[in-house]
Amino acid sequence: MTTTPHTTDVVIIGAGQSGLAAAGALGAAGVRPVVLEAAAEPHGSWPHYYDSLKAFSSNRFNAMPGLPFGGDPDDHPTRDEVAEYLRRYAAGLDAEIRTGVRVTEVGHDGGRFVVHTAGGDTLEAGAVVAATGSFGNPYTPELPGAAAYRGIVRHVADYRNPAPYAGSRVVVVGGGNSAVQVACELAQVATVTVASTEPLTLVPHRPGGRDVHHVLTVAVDPLPAPWVALLFDGAPVLDIGGYAEAFAAGRPDRRDMFTTFTEDGVRWSDGTTEPVDAVITATGYRPDLGYLRALGALDATGAPLHSGGLSTTHAGLAYLGLEFQRSFASNTLRGVFADAAAIAPAVAAVARGGHRLLG
């Protein structure tokens, strides 16, 4: 049943780390937003990741302003520890957080945004922050021969733990942190290969005894060689779990990406074929912003049209949690609040009737 539209200054869509960071930054700017979250609690996608996931930055770098993360500052928090931290942070915000509310479409009447929900409600707002991340839109590239393959193909978004793969031959596709973390875990119970288009770059997370993220917040000159690799050599993987030793022992191993599936396995780049029970694709995600398509705020691929997180199509529309939005840490727990603080003044100005040029 459709109800009378409610009116507010700012609607934030999503109550994960990005949406909560947006609420915190807007609160500091004097705006009390309404936050809409489809899940039952404000913790984003963290509880839905694989069981053993750890954040790739340590506790000392993961706190939002005003709430210490807690624990050993050099530990990497688990999936559940991050979710619990976000719940605590949400509880301390000066924001109206509505859970169990899924946004289906955002429109614009020429003066204000109109946010439609699956429950039939509408909210009118002067500004909107889209902070729904990408977990709801996992990406798997088209892989030759996939239609004929009779084994299991699963995105890492649907992976939970290694138990179902015990004794199996598994290929993990990808070269990033999740691919390596999952492959090393699986290799304890299965025969595992990481298939990637480029060699892996494993970077120790404490070179010289200091957390590698220190260099990202405190200038160091000259940079130690492992930090140079982290910053400039492709897509590095932080070794937070003995990954280098695992690969050195061949559990797992790493090979160039296979050229095609066969009915019962894969064909490797050297022409050899091998039976494979399961392929797990750790090939990333794409922005989950389908509710903005009718607004005309996205390009043909579904990516937002923006500059530094501010829409180039609609004044008052902003984004948080996009990959490389303003830095390589933009879509991480460590980096999202800096982006939130950067967009908050413009969002607050439009919400209060101010003006911002597009572009």
Side-chain angles (χ1 to χ4, degrees):
M1 178 178 178
T2 301
T3 61
T4 303
H6 304 286
T7 300
T8 187
D9 287 335
V10 180
V11 167
I12 298 171
I13 306 173
Q17 63 196 34
S18 299
L20 297 177
L26 284 167
V31 175
R32 187 174 190 267
V34 173
V35 185
L36 305 181
E37 168 57 44
E41 295 185 78
H43 48 42
S45 57
W46 282 93
H48 307 294
Y49 288 114
Y50 49 93
D51 297 346
S52 64
L53 176 69
K54 288 190 174 184
F56 305 126
S57 51
S58 56
N59 289 333
R60 71 172 72 244
F61 298 104
N62 292 331
M64 303 280 191
L67 183 65
F69 199 93
D72 185 333
D74 292 321
D75 277 352
H76 291 252
T78 66
R79 173 196 70 179
D80 294 340
E81 288 170 340
V82 174
E84 178 55 31
Y85 176 80
L86 293 177
R87 291 186 189 97
R88 289 191 288 118
Y89 183 71
L93 288 173
D94 182 21
E96 181 182 350
I97 300 176
R98 304 180 188 178
T99 58
V101 179
R102 181 176 298 279
V103 172
T104 56
E105 185 174 294
V106 176
H108 199 272
D109 65 3
R112 294 175 65 81
F113 293 94
V114 182
V115 180
H116 301 269
T117 74
D121 289 326
T122 58
L123 289 86
E124 292 182 357
V128 168
V129 179
T132 41
S134 57
F135 185 80
N137 191 19
Y139 172 72
T140 298
E142 291 187 14
L143 300 173
Y149 176 57
R150 296 177 299 191
I152 297 169
V153 178
R154 183 166 293 156
H155 192 277
V156 73
D158 298 315
Y159 170 82
R160 292 296 173 267
N161 59 67
Y165 304 93
S168 298
R169 177 70 175 105
V170 182
V171 173
V172 178
V173 175
N177 286 283
S178 293
V180 169
Q181 197 171 98
V182 167
C184 288
E185 176 179 68
L186 280 167
Q188 299 175 38
V189 301
T191 303
V192 182
T193 293
V194 173
S196 59
T197 56
E198 300 290 339
L200 301 178
T201 301
L202 297 177
V203 177
H205 83 285
R206 291 184 62 79
R210 305 200 71 171
D211 192 295
V212 71
H213 289 92
H214 178 77
V215 76
L216 308 178
T217 53
V218 179
V220 177
D221 185 27
L223 296 179
W227 289 347
V228 173
L230 173 67
L231 293 171
F232 303 114
D233 189 11
V237 174
L238 276 183
D239 190 345
I240 62 174
Y243 304 150
E245 292 86 348
F247 279 99
R251 296 183 58 85
D253 69 343
R254 182 265 162 194
R255 303 186 196 179
D256 289 342
M257 183 61 189
F258 56 83
T259 58
T260 185
F261 279 99
T262 62
E263 284 191 359
D264 65 349
V266 299
R267 178 174 293 114
W268 295 105
S269 58
D270 62 3
T272 61
T273 60
E274 180 183 10
V276 169
D277 299 303
V279 173
I280 297 175
T281 59
T283 46
Y285 301 82
R286 296 294 183 266
D288 190 13
L289 298 169
Y291 52 86
L292 295 177
R293 188 169 295 283
L295 188 64
L298 310 178
D299 68 15
T301 70
L305 299 166
H306 75 101
S307 176
L310 298 176
S311 172
T312 55
T313 64
H314 294 79
L317 175 61
Y319 303 92
L320 270 182
L322 301 176
E323 189 173 15
F324 297 109
Q325 178 170 316
R326 296 179 65 252
S327 75
F328 69 89
S330 285
N331 65 335
T332 70
L333 184 63
R334 185 184 72 81
V336 70
F337 200 92
D339 284 10
I343 68 164
V347 172
V350 175
R352 293 173 178 143
H355 180 65
R356 177 181 66 83
L357 294 176
L358 295 174

